[in-house]
Amino acid sequence: VEYLRAQGLKVSSWGLQNEPGSGPNTTTCPPIEERVEPPSPPQPALTSSGKPNSYSVCHYSQCDYYYAFKACAKKIRALDPAIRIHANSWSGQVGAAPIAKDPEALKLVDAWTWHTVNAPSARDFGNQTRHWAYGKLDYTNEHEYQPGSPFAGTEVGTVAAVNSFLNTLTFKDSPT
C-alpha cells in the first residue's frame, strides 16, 4: 500500500488474494501458535483440468489463508482505517467460515468477494449468500462461464452475467 501510494496511486480497497482456495472446507482453524501441521507448501497454479493456469495465483489451504489474512488485514487497518478490506469468500461465505467465526478477524472484514462460475445468476441471490454474509457487504467481482459450460458464449450467459452485476448493486446494496 505504501509503495502504491508513493507512486501516486490512491488505495481504497485491499484483499489478500483472488481465488486462493485449494483443499477441503473447514469451519475453524486452531490458533496459529497451536497449529500442528506446517504451512502448505506452494502448489503449482493449475486449472481444474490439471493444465497450467494462465495467470499468476497463490494457493492457500483454508487455514493458511485465514492466518495470512488476519495478520495482514490487521496491518492494513492500522495503516489506514479508511481502506476497505475484503476477504475472498472462497466457495461462498460458507468457505470463509474460519474468518467469519473469529470475532477479531471478522471485525477486519468490510466485504466478501463473491465469484460465480458456471452457474445461473440466481445462485448469487440464493439463501446461502444472505445467510452467510455475517452483516458485511457482498461484492460480486466475477461472473464467468468456462469453456464447456452451457452458458458460455450464449445470449443467456450474457444476460445472466449482466443480471448478476446489476442485481448485486440493487438488491445487495453493494457499493461496487
Side-chain angles (χ1 to χ4, degrees):
V1 170
E2 290 172 341
Y3 172 81
L4 294 172
R5 287 179 170 170
Q7 306 310 308
L9 297 173
K10 179 183 176 193
V11 178
S12 59
S13 296
W14 176 88
L16 176 64
Q17 170 72 37
N18 182 49
E19 299 183 353
S22 62
N25 276 341
T26 185
T27 57
T28 59
C29 300
I32 196 162
E33 61 275 1
E34 295 175 19
R35 185 179 182 134
V36 177
E37 64 186 53
S40 304
Q43 299 295 316
L46 302 176
T47 65
S48 59
S49 65
K51 296 180 180 176
N53 208 335
S54 60
Y55 59 92
S56 64
V57 64
C58 296
H59 286 282
Y60 296 82
S61 72
Q62 195 171 10
C63 287
D64 287 343
Y65 179 80
Y66 160 75
Y67 299 134
F69 174 85
K70 188 172 175 180
C72 293
K74 281 181 190 176
K75 292 180 183 281
I76 296 295
R77 184 67 80 219
L79 176 68
D80 184 346
I83 292 177
R84 191 175 280 157
I85 297 174
H86 69 95
N88 191 289
S89 57
W90 203 273
S91 58
Q93 281 78 329
V94 175
I99 293 170
K101 292 185 179 209
D102 175 343
E104 185 181 2
L106 183 60
K107 275 196 306 192
L108 299 167
V109 176
D110 296 310
W112 304 106
T113 301
W114 182 268
H115 290 199
T116 296
V117 181
N118 294 340
S121 58
R123 179 178 177 255
D124 298 340
F125 306 99
N127 212 15
Q128 65 184 2
T129 61
R130 287 191 306 275
H131 183 68
W132 298 102
Y134 299 95
K136 306 296 182 173
L137 296 172
D138 189 345
Y139 299 165
T140 297
N141 76 334
E142 186 172 322
H143 190 105
E144 68 176 297
Y145 297 120
Q146 298 286 336
S149 163
F151 298 102
T154 68
E155 292 84 0
V156 171
T158 301
V159 170
V162 170
N163 179 49
S164 176
F165 285 108
L166 292 177
N167 283 329
T168 296
L169 296 171
T170 303
F171 297 114
K172 289 186 176 181
D173 262 344
S174 182
T176 186

